[in-house]
Amino acid sequence: MSGSDRPPLSDADRVRQSALRRMKAVATGLLGLAAVGYAVTLHQGGWIGFVNAACEAAMVGAAADWFAVTALFRRPLGLPIPHTALIPTRKDALGRSLQDFVASNFLAPDVVRGRIAAVGVARRTGTWLADTGHAERVGAELAGLARGLLQVLQDDRVATLLEQVVLRPMLARPWAPAGGRLLEHIVAERAHYKLVDIVAAEVHEWLERHEDVVTALVRDRAPAWTPAWLDERVSRRAYLEVLRWAGDVRDDPRHRVRLALDDVLMGLAKDLQSDPIMQERAMDLQKRILDNPGSREAVEALWTTIRGVLEEATRDETSDLRRRLVAGIASFGARLAADAELQRTVDRYVQDAAGHLVTSYRDEVATVISETIQRWDGEEASRRIELLAGRDLQFIRINGTVVGGLVGVLIHTLTVLAG
């Protein structure tokens, strides 16, 4: 990649480039100082010989480390020396090695589980959710997600799915025995009494409000030859009797109508369980419902209504659904923040999930590293990496110069002592 084709440097890269140039200048300056010192002290005896030996060894150390550092990013002096320019020429192999290292040491299940355990995901999440503002934010996101999902769903396809997956399989089964057992249990436990109470109360209330309807119905059925005053008295009397009868049914739990209803329901429950004729009638009813074209229309109308209600509820911040959702999120967060046992349970689930994901998909995740590096241009990758790590690598050159000089002094000292 030519210089003109390279992407422009960011501000941070410009700062790194400036720092890299300064450190290169320092390291090269030390090499130059060692070279000058060596030239000045050449063939000198006495203590100057120690200086000469130090400068000579410093030059060797500086040159060797310059070669080592430079060989990472480019060919020293442009010479085709083997095993140089390692990053541009071997970036793919280095990427695979880095991928294996990350997968083995960072994406290991034990490492991930330990990190999650140290973080305390459940406690932090609970504390965050307990805040009303955060709960409202989560509620708004969930409501928006649900609204978007509802808008994407097409009514006809959903209706077809509900019909084929729910309604038809449900009605295709013989439900008479199961329905009979359920009805028998309901009657035996008197679970239907509340419903009967509501119906009786509603009937009595309706009669109280619609005396004119009942009396008119009686008068319309009276013979034409009866006088009007008689029709009026009879209709009035009939209305009062019906009203009193409805009141008795409402107020008396042991009324004959209620007992008769219990007997009818119990008989129906037993017939549904054991009477083949009743079971066949129930199955025929199910088939007629399935074959009726209005069944699908009813399912589609029901779904359309439900979707409209849900969309409106998720859009309106003051709706009961939104308020209950936010309150539920905040309540769960408060409990999660305070209940240590619940925290341990949630953390354990999170750790198990993370461990499973890492075990199952760590190789695929780590592959991102090698695939990304393969797409890099060799020279550009080398330039980028040198900007990130090159400044620190220049300390290798500086340390090599200093250590080389000290080793040179040590060797010269041993040579003098041995002589």
Side-chain angles (χ1 to χ4, degrees):
M1 180 181 292
S2 63
S4 59
D5 295 335
R6 292 175 179 175
L9 295 177
S10 64
D11 293 339
D13 285 341
R14 292 192 184 94
V15 173
R16 295 189 186 100
Q17 187 179 58
S18 178
L20 174 61
R21 288 172 177 172
R22 287 196 298 270
M23 291 307 301
K24 282 185 175 180
V26 171
T28 304
L30 288 177
L31 173 59
L33 181 63
V36 171
Y38 174 76
V40 172
T41 60
L42 188 63
H43 305 308
Q44 299 291 326
W47 63 270
I48 298 179
F50 287 88
V51 176
N52 180 263
C55 291
E56 181 180 10
M59 286 193 300
V60 174
D65 288 337
W66 166 82
F67 182 90
V69 172
T70 302
L72 290 174
F73 305 103
R74 62 188 64 85
R75 298 190 184 280
L77 303 177
L79 300 176
I81 303 173
H83 303 293
T84 58
L86 295 179
I87 292 177
T89 59
R90 294 183 55 80
K91 65 178 180 66
D92 293 346
L94 294 174
R96 289 190 293 270
S97 299
L98 179 61
Q99 168 188 321
D100 295 338
F101 176 78
V102 171
S104 301
N105 297 277
F106 291 92
L107 297 180
D110 293 340
V111 174
V112 175
R113 292 175 65 93
R115 181 56 183 166
I116 292 177
V119 169
V121 174
R123 178 182 55 80
R124 293 190 177 188
T125 302
T127 302
W128 191 83
L129 290 176
D131 182 83
T132 303
H134 295 159
E136 290 178 350
R137 178 180 174 184
V138 174
E141 292 295 334
L142 292 176
L145 179 63
R147 187 167 60 253
L149 180 61
L150 289 171
Q151 292 174 350
V152 169
L153 296 176
Q154 299 180 6
D155 292 344
D156 55 345
R157 293 186 177 180
V158 174
T160 301
L161 180 65
L162 292 176
E163 180 189 9
Q164 298 295 332
V165 177
V166 179
L167 183 62
R168 287 192 173 276
M170 182 179 65
L171 294 180
R173 296 179 54 190
W175 281 99
R181 289 191 296 270
L182 176 61
L183 181 58
E184 182 179 9
H185 180 74
I186 291 175
V187 175
E189 297 294 329
R190 299 178 179 178
H192 64 298
Y193 275 23
K194 291 294 183 182
L195 179 60
V196 175
D197 291 340
I198 293 173
V199 173
E202 289 295 327
V203 169
H204 186 271
E205 184 179 351
W206 185 89
L207 289 172
E208 286 184 326
R209 294 198 310 266
H210 298 86
E211 178 181 355
D212 55 337
V213 176
V214 178
T215 55
L217 182 62
V218 176
R219 286 196 306 269
D220 292 342
R221 297 297 187 273
W225 50 266
T226 57
W229 61 269
L230 181 59
D231 294 343
E232 185 67 30
R233 293 189 63 179
V234 171
S235 62
R236 173 64 179 171
R237 182 64 180 179
Y239 167 74
L240 293 176
E241 289 298 327
V242 172
L243 183 62
R244 182 178 61 82
W245 176 81
D248 292 341
V249 174
R250 180 195 62 184
D251 300 333
D252 185 4
R254 303 296 299 173
H255 195 277
R256 287 179 300 174
V257 173
R258 290 177 178 255
L259 296 179
L261 178 61
D262 291 347
D263 292 339
V264 171
L265 293 177
M266 184 60 73
L268 177 62
K270 293 185 180 300
D271 289 342
L272 287 173
Q273 297 180 66
S274 58
D275 187 353
I277 297 177
M278 180 61 72
Q279 293 176 356
E280 185 178 355
R281 290 177 180 175
M283 198 65 195
D284 289 340
L285 175 61
Q286 293 176 206
K287 291 181 179 178
R288 287 199 300 271
I289 294 175
L290 284 176
D291 296 337
N292 193 328
S295 298
R296 189 182 187 283
E297 296 177 2
V299 171
E300 186 170 356
L302 178 62
W303 161 249
T304 303
T305 302
I306 293 175
R307 191 192 69 171
V309 171
L310 291 177
E311 284 186 359
E312 181 63 27
T314 55
R315 184 178 295 105
D316 184 6
E317 297 181 0
T318 62
S319 67
D320 185 66
L321 178 63
R322 287 283 294 270
R323 288 188 286 105
R324 287 179 180 272
L325 178 61
V326 172
I329 293 172
S331 176
F332 174 75
R335 181 186 173 192
L336 186 59
D339 191 336
E341 182 63 27
L342 181 59
Q343 291 175 14
R344 286 191 290 270
T345 301
V346 173
D347 282 339
R348 185 167 60 252
Y349 287 151
V350 174
Q351 292 171 28
D352 292 342
H356 173 72
L357 291 175
V358 167
T359 302
S360 303
Y361 302 105
R362 65 176 176 179
D363 292 335
E364 287 78 359
V365 173
T367 303
V368 175
I369 298 174
S370 60
E371 291 179 351
T372 301
I373 292 178
Q374 288 175 3
R375 290 194 296 267
W376 289 354
D377 176 77
E379 294 183 3
E380 180 62 18
S382 176
R383 186 175 72 98
R384 292 285 182 178
I385 296 175
E386 186 177 15
L387 285 177
L388 291 173
R391 177 182 180 277
D392 296 327
L393 292 177
Q394 298 307 310
F395 283 103
I396 297 177
R397 296 176 56 190
I398 295 173
N399 292 335
T401 304
V402 175
V403 172
L406 295 176
V407 171
V409 172
L410 177 62
I411 293 175
H412 187 72
T413 300
L414 294 176
T415 302
V416 171
L417 292 177

